[in-house]
Amino acid sequence: MARQKGIIKLQGTLGDITFMQTKDGYIAREKTSVSASRIATDPSYQRTRENNSEFGRAGKASKLLRTAFRTQLQSAKDSRLTSRLTASMMKVLKADVTSIRGMRNVIDGEAEFLKNFEFNNNAKLSSTLFAQYTTVIDRVSGVTSIDIPIFIPLNSVVAPEGSTHFKIVSAASSIDFEAETFTTAESSSALLPWNATATAALSLSNTLPANSTHSLFLLAGIQFYQVVNTVAYPLKNGAFNALSIVKVDGV
């Protein structure tokens, strides 16, 4: 793959070269001479078929997780979320030590590798919220919780310019990657002023099905607002909102 330079940018196909525009700019790529049927049957492409199978499986798992937390992602994500999460899912899948190559899967992998995954790389929770917090996933009861002791917002929250208030959000989900189903619960704090006044202790709790046999995920995030005449407006459509996987309990 090559990048196009110069004033005139081409798009389309010329001979065996395809020109296109991507998020990384204008590129030129040579068309493959290998047919799909050959890749699907030729023994020499066995590794390719295995890689494609596992990449597809990781992609489906990534999409399911994004769907499970769709409500939260509407206000906290970056443009490369899909590719970044799929890459992380590949690490989970490759940790499967029981399945043969090409058949490795997320269920038998290490879902815990997704802990600390940031959904918005432009505003990471780890560099936005500095208040200490504890997380719990109780698989037996299905209760998940995030507890934050008293903190001073000006000292513990890095807020973008223009914000006057914020709230802490939480979501948890029990995800069955095999059946492609999930159960999600969510909660949030009240709208809190970004000032030097200490908050009360916060406790965000979400209840999932008890004794779940699926992977459990707990997310924490922070959302910023500008309050004008008692109306709270999301700051720049959530561009500065953070959301992260803070705890995982795999199967």
Side-chain angles (χ1 to χ4, degrees):
M1 181 175 67
R3 296 183 183 275
Q4 298 186 54
K5 293 185 177 181
I7 298 175
I8 300 176
K9 304 300 184 183
L10 302 177
Q11 294 193 61
T13 300
L14 182 62
D16 291 331
I17 305 297
T18 298
F19 302 89
M20 66 188 74
Q21 181 182 13
T22 70
K23 294 178 181 178
D24 299 313
Y26 290 86
I27 64 172
R29 180 161 48 195
E30 184 178 9
K31 293 173 63 178
T32 178
S33 59
V34 182
S35 67
S37 60
R38 182 181 176 189
I39 292 177
T41 59
D42 193 326
S44 62
Y45 286 94
Q46 178 64 26
R47 295 285 85 84
T48 300
R49 291 194 293 274
E50 292 170 352
N51 291 337
N52 289 346
S53 176
E54 293 188 344
F55 184 78
R57 203 170 291 120
K60 288 179 65 175
S62 170
K63 181 179 180 180
L64 182 62
L65 190 145
R66 297 196 314 273
T67 303
F69 294 110
R70 182 177 180 275
T71 300
Q72 291 70 39
L73 294 184
Q74 287 179 330
S75 57
K77 63 181 178 180
D78 61 53
S79 61
R80 296 185 180 275
L81 170 60
T82 298
S83 59
R84 291 192 302 105
L85 184 55
T86 299
S88 294
M89 278 294 185
M90 281 296 293
K91 294 179 181 178
V92 172
L93 182 147
K94 288 181 178 180
D96 176 0
V97 296
T98 61
S99 306
I100 62 174
R101 178 170 175 160
M103 297 301 294
R104 290 177 295 184
N105 59 82
V106 171
I107 300 171
D108 295 317
E110 292 292 337
E112 285 78 3
F113 284 176
L114 294 174
K115 183 181 178 182
N116 298 322
F117 180 85
E118 299 278 0
F119 290 92
N120 186 3
N121 253 353
N122 300 319
K124 298 180 179 180
L125 185 67
S126 59
S127 57
T128 303
L129 178 64
F130 291 92
Q132 297 297 306
Y133 58 86
T134 57
T135 59
V136 173
I137 293 180
D138 188 328
R139 183 176 289 276
V140 175
S141 67
V143 175
T144 72
S145 62
I146 298 176
D147 293 302
I148 310 176
I150 295 170
F151 67 94
I152 297 175
L154 279 179
N155 297 340
S156 301
V157 175
V158 179
E161 183 179 355
S163 58
T164 62
H165 290 70
F166 68 96
K167 65 179 178 180
I168 308 297
V169 299
S170 170
S173 189
S174 170
I175 302 180
D176 183 346
F177 287 104
E178 185 174 18
E180 299 183 25
T181 59
F182 58 86
T183 300
T184 302
E186 60 184 65
S187 58
S188 69
S189 71
L191 203 61
L192 304 170
W194 186 61
N195 57 23
T197 301
T199 69
L202 303 177
S203 182
L204 305 181
S205 179
N206 306 298
T207 302
L208 299 175
N211 297 304
S212 171
T213 57
H214 310 308
S215 298
L216 306 179
F217 297 86
L218 177 60
L219 275 58
I222 184 167
Q223 298 177 356
F224 294 99
Y225 298 84
Q226 184 177 82
V227 175
V228 179
N229 296 329
T230 71
V231 178
Y233 299 90
L235 195 67
K236 292 191 176 181
N237 295 319
F240 300 105
N241 293 343
L243 185 68
S244 178
I245 299 176
V246 294
K247 196 173 186 63
V248 181
D249 187 349
V251 293

